[in-house]
Amino acid sequence: MRKPFIGGNWKMNTDSASAAELACGLSRNLDDVCNEKVDVTVCPPFVYLSAVKKALGPCQIGLGAQDVYFEPKGAFTGEISCSMLKDVGCSHVIIGHSERRHIIKESDELINRKLSAAISSGLLAIFCVGELLEQRNAGKTNSVVAEQIKKGMAGIGLEKACAVTIAYEPVWAIGTGINATAQQAQEVHVMIRELIAKLYDKSFAQQIRIQYGGSATAANAAELMSQPDIDGLLVGGASLKLEDFTKIVMAAAERKII
Ligand code: PGA
């Protein structure tokens, strides 16, 4: 049985005071359920990672960054290395988020290098994939997502792949208020699991956690996670609201699969 995993992607939001306040609230609300029933990781902007780490205190909520660069150090102005993330207390890093793919124009090749470097350094990766609306409408969802996974995980062997959580985030659902239905998400998650079985093996395919992301809220969390292959959520907007994110984590802790 895969333990549910909820990620909070704060994106380019908060300031030092509100980031610390949100983190304090989360540690207060979630300490009891975290780790035992559900894994939770929050991903604030780089500049607030240390403050959030401090505010989370000894609770079991993980700390993640929203991106990382693959080189270990040197003349890469503006970039952040894996060891820097670990140095400030990160356990996780999001890689290949759709906003980086489509706004910053990150390629599958770059994402692959980042994923490989992150895992080699000992970070756990939340590797994001997902189709555009026109790709879905053209019936290309499965082929687009499969291609992103094959290219993103190229050269990453079974041992390293164990550090990966896949987040299926249809681009048309992110920040739009239009979530994929539980059924739509489940179908893609099944396809991803079958692909992982082919690329690695059946037993690993049953172990790897696949999150859904895209307008996940306190209102739809339980329904999304009622699907057998939806192992958690990557939450954007609703992760900035203490009450909503708390409810989402609680829904994961009390998950009932139908
Ligand atoms: P959203 O973002 O929940 O605001 O749609 C999800 C994400 O981009 O990870």
Side-chain angles (χ1 to χ4, degrees):
M1 181 68 178
R2 297 175 294 268
K3 199 202 297 183
F5 177 20
I6 303 293
N9 175 9
W10 295 3
K11 307 194 181 184
M12 200 171 73
N13 293 298
T14 67
D15 55 23
S16 46
S18 61
E21 193 185 319
L22 181 54
C24 276
L26 292 172
S27 91
R28 208 173 42 238
N29 288 1
L30 301 177
D31 200 20
D32 288 351
V33 289
C34 272
N35 212 16
E36 200 145 304
K37 291 188 168 165
V38 53
D39 288 327
V40 180
T41 291
V42 291
C43 305
F46 285 129
V47 290
Y48 304 133
L49 284 168
S50 292
V52 167
K53 178 76 186 166
K54 198 165 162 223
L56 288 173
C59 82
Q60 297 291 322
I61 298 175
L63 183 71
Q66 298 172 17
D67 184 34
V68 72
Y69 198 56
F70 61 84
E71 293 285 1
K73 64 175 181 172
F76 304 102
T77 303
E79 296 296 340
I80 303 283
S81 72
C82 299
S83 58
M84 290 172 184
L85 295 184
K86 290 174 65 187
D87 189 33
V88 295
C90 285
S91 48
H92 289 73
V93 60
I94 297 173
I95 292 178
H97 189 276
S98 86
E99 284 143 21
R100 299 208 62 86
R101 289 179 186 268
H102 297 292
I103 302 172
I104 317 285
K105 306 284 180 220
E106 287 195 3
S107 65
D108 286 309
E109 290 68 30
L110 176 60
I111 289 164
N112 175 244
R113 294 182 86 166
K114 290 182 173 190
L115 192 58
S116 184
I119 302 168
S120 299
S121 79
L123 287 165
L124 300 170
I126 300 173
F127 166 45
C128 303
V129 295
E131 82 287 0
L132 297 163
L133 184 57
E134 51 267 38
Q135 293 168 329
R136 171 164 282 264
N137 290 341
K140 292 184 178 155
T141 299
N142 285 0
S143 60
V144 167
V145 170
E147 197 68 9
Q148 289 172 338
I149 292 176
K150 280 187 211 155
K151 288 184 172 165
M153 295 183 75
I156 294 174
L158 181 58
E159 210 173 295
K160 285 188 174 175
C162 292
V164 176
T165 294
I166 294 176
Y168 167 58
E169 300 204 297
V171 181
W172 49 271
I174 296 178
T176 58
I178 305 165
N179 60 287
T181 63
Q183 198 49 47
Q184 282 173 322
Q186 166 68 13
E187 277 168 24
V188 180
H189 285 223
V190 168
M191 183 281 293
I192 293 172
R193 219 176 282 290
E194 284 169 2
L195 176 64
I196 293 295
K198 272 190 221 136
L199 296 176
Y200 296 92
D201 62 43
K202 278 192 181 153
S203 127
F204 177 58
Q206 287 308 313
Q207 278 166 45
I208 191 167
R209 290 188 291 192
I210 308 173
Q211 295 174 323
Y212 164 78
S215 299
T217 62
N220 61 27
E223 194 189 341
L224 286 162
M225 282 181 288
S226 72
Q227 297 298 310
D229 289 282
I230 301 181
D231 306 317
L233 302 167
L234 184 55
V235 186
S239 72
L240 295 166
K241 297 180 201 131
L242 177 60
E243 217 176 286
D244 291 30
F245 194 67
T246 300
K247 283 186 188 155
I248 292 171
V249 173
M250 292 305 177
E254 291 154 15
R255 177 176 188 221
K256 284 188 191 69
I257 297 170
I258 52 169

